[in-house]
Amino acid sequence: MIKKIEVLGSGCAKCRKTAELIEQGLEAAGIEVELVKVEEIEEIVQKGIMMTPAVLIDGQTKCAGRVPSASEIKSWFE
Amino acid sequence: MDNIFTWLERLVQLLLERGWGISVASRLGSSLHFFIYDIVKIMILLGIMIFLISYLRSYFPPEKTKKILERFSGVSGHIMASLLGIVTPFCSCSSVPIFIGFIEAGIPLGVTFSFLITSPIVNEAAFAVLLAAFGWRIAVVYVVTGVIIGIIGGIVIDFLALEKWVEKYVYQLQLGKQEIKKLNRRERVRLAWNNVKEIVGRIWFFLIIGIGIGAIIHGWAPAPVLAKYAGPDNPLAVLIGVLVGIPLYSNALGTIPIAEALIHKGVGIGTALSFMMATTALSLPAMILLRKVIKVKLLAVFVTITGLAIIVIGYFFNIIADFLI
């Protein structure tokens, strides 16, 4: 059971796109879960991320440095 | 390179002359030939090159690059950083976390800059477009030069001891631990393929406009006039190329087909190359982001050193142009 999803990125176009795709993915999977956008650079770095956008599910890196594809996102929620 | 695509050139010529009855010797024919041939050639090369380079890059995430760099010091550190700048995938929005990660790991400021300068200059899309427009020799020369600029820029920044111009908080940050996921071959292929789609999707429109303008120049522009104003003998051409390039960002890749057409008409190759380097290395969005971690003074030093290096290289290429093409 997923508790928390974080999208890390300083608000660039790719990061916004990532957050958008995740929201759509959650809706499609019918899951309600907390989605946090981490935009502060200090916080991103403290989480050990060097490439944005990055997606963390319950603190675990699912992808970094790119926009995940819709099918990839779907696989995380299964 | 020209030999590999001779079939395509002939095919387009055949299509124009037999199919539509337009001679490639005519102005319209010459423009149309350039347009169709260039679009197909550039798209093929973009697809293949981005795929191959992205695949290779999946082996060098910045976390790994950082670990490698921790082991080198002095000039060899700059050389390694600049070389790793070629293979480490990197977009301007990641420049800040990468900068912090490197500094936090104790990598010297200058070495970090060697990496940050080379990485955007030598990118897969620029390489593919150069390859398509000018062939292997120029594309390779571009990569080598990008690496050299990174090494020199970083060494100068080290020499000036500018650590005081890094924002204080950077040194207090602690990089969290995060495991690097091992990828299997299928994941790497998917990654590379997604990258092809992403980059082509981002630049195809600008490329086609650029190829269109290039095609018009090819058929219509008067060569003597261009050679006079933007040829290798005009001392200001490189400088203007760099200044125009700075605010353009990577969409300026579309300008390379224009440059290709212009060079056929006598514009200096160095002018075209430095223009391209300026658009990638000195991009405004990247600088705005870097401002978060370094003070304006250091940003100014970075821009000055990189800009100067690019200009010098531009002149150098114009001088040795005859040996390159």
Side-chain angles (χ1 to χ4, degrees), chain B residues 53 83 89 127 140-141 204 224 289 295 322:
Chain B
I53 299 172
L83 288 174
F127 185 71
V140 170
V141 164
W204 70 272
L289 284 168
K295 299 206 161 83
D322 294 341

Side-chain angles (χ1 to χ4, degrees), chain B residues 52-168:
Chain B
L52 289 178
I53 299 172
S54 305
Y55 190 86
L56 174 71
R57 280 182 167 180
S58 68
Y59 289 93
F60 292 91
E63 289 84 357
K64 199 162 161 188
T65 298
K66 190 184 78 173
K67 280 212 184 88
I68 299 173
L69 285 180
E70 284 174 55
R71 298 203 304 263
F72 290 87
S73 61
V75 177
S76 60
H78 290 285
I79 296 170
M80 276 312 281
S82 198
L83 288 174
L84 286 166
I86 301 177
V87 288
T88 304
F90 172 84
C91 99
S92 61
C93 41
S94 299
S95 53
V96 170
I98 287 181
F99 181 89
I100 296 175
F102 278 24
I103 295 293
E104 191 256 4
I107 294 167
L109 184 64
V111 174
T112 304
F113 266 103
S114 284
F115 176 84
L116 285 178
I117 293 170
T118 305
S119 196
I121 294 183
V122 186
N123 66 78
E124 59 270 53
F127 185 71
V129 177
L130 278 174
L131 194 60
F134 306 122
W136 278 109
R137 231 183 292 176
I138 300 280
V140 170
V141 164
Y142 178 84
V143 171
V144 173
T145 320
V147 171
I148 294 173
I149 290 179
I151 295 172
I152 295 174
I155 290 177
V156 174
I157 287 173
D158 254 353
F159 178 75
L160 296 173
L162 301 175
E163 281 75 7
K164 56 183 182 289
W165 288 341
V166 174
E167 293 291 352
K168 287 280 170 301

Side-chain angles (χ1 to χ4, degrees), chain A residues 10 12 14 41-42 45-52 56 59-62 66 69 72, chain B residues 62 89 91 93-94 96-98 100 102 169 173-176 178 181 190-191 198 292:
Chain A
S10 46
C12 63
K14 281 185 191 170
I41 193 70
E42 286 94 331
V45 171
Q46 274 156 3
K47 287 183 189 295
I49 292 297
M50 286 176 81
M51 285 202 298
T52 57
L56 267 58
Q60 240 197 340
T61 317
K62 285 295 173 183
R66 64 196 168 86
S69 68
E72 198 180 352
Chain B
C91 99
C93 41
S94 299
V96 170
I98 287 181
I100 296 175
F102 278 24
Y169 79 93
L173 281 176
Q174 277 254 308
L175 195 70
Q178 194 65 245
K181 224 175 71 182
R190 195 175 60 186
L191 207 75
E198 196 261 317
K292 285 185 187 168

Side-chain angles (χ1 to χ4, degrees), chain B residues 171-186:
Chain B
Y171 290 106
Q172 285 145 17
L173 281 176
Q174 277 254 308
L175 195 70
K177 282 266 176 297
Q178 194 65 245
E179 241 171 81
I180 313 169
K181 224 175 71 182
K182 276 258 188 301
L183 298 167
N184 59 33
R185 184 185 297 175
R186 249 190 66 208

Side-chain angles (χ1 to χ4, degrees), chain A:
Chain A
M1 188 61 200
I2 298 170
K3 291 195 192 72
K4 186 182 179 188
I5 301 178
E6 293 161 288
V7 176
L8 284 66
S10 46
C12 63
K14 281 185 191 170
C15 315
R16 283 197 299 274
K17 177 86 190 151
T18 304
E20 217 173 89
L21 283 170
I22 298 237
E23 271 165 11
Q24 287 166 5
L26 284 173
E27 209 170 304
I31 302 173
E32 278 209 26
V33 65
E34 191 188 359
L35 178 66
V36 188
K37 287 177 199 165
V38 182
E39 296 189 338
E40 280 304 311
I41 193 70
E42 286 94 331
E43 215 178 316
I44 294 174
V45 171
Q46 274 156 3
K47 287 183 189 295
I49 292 297
M50 286 176 81
M51 285 202 298
T52 57
V55 181
L56 267 58
I57 295 185
D58 293 336
Q60 240 197 340
T61 317
K62 285 295 173 183
C63 92
R66 64 196 168 86
V67 180
S69 68
S71 57
E72 198 180 352
I73 293 173
K74 203 178 150 205
S75 73
W76 298 336
F77 298 152
E78 273 164 4

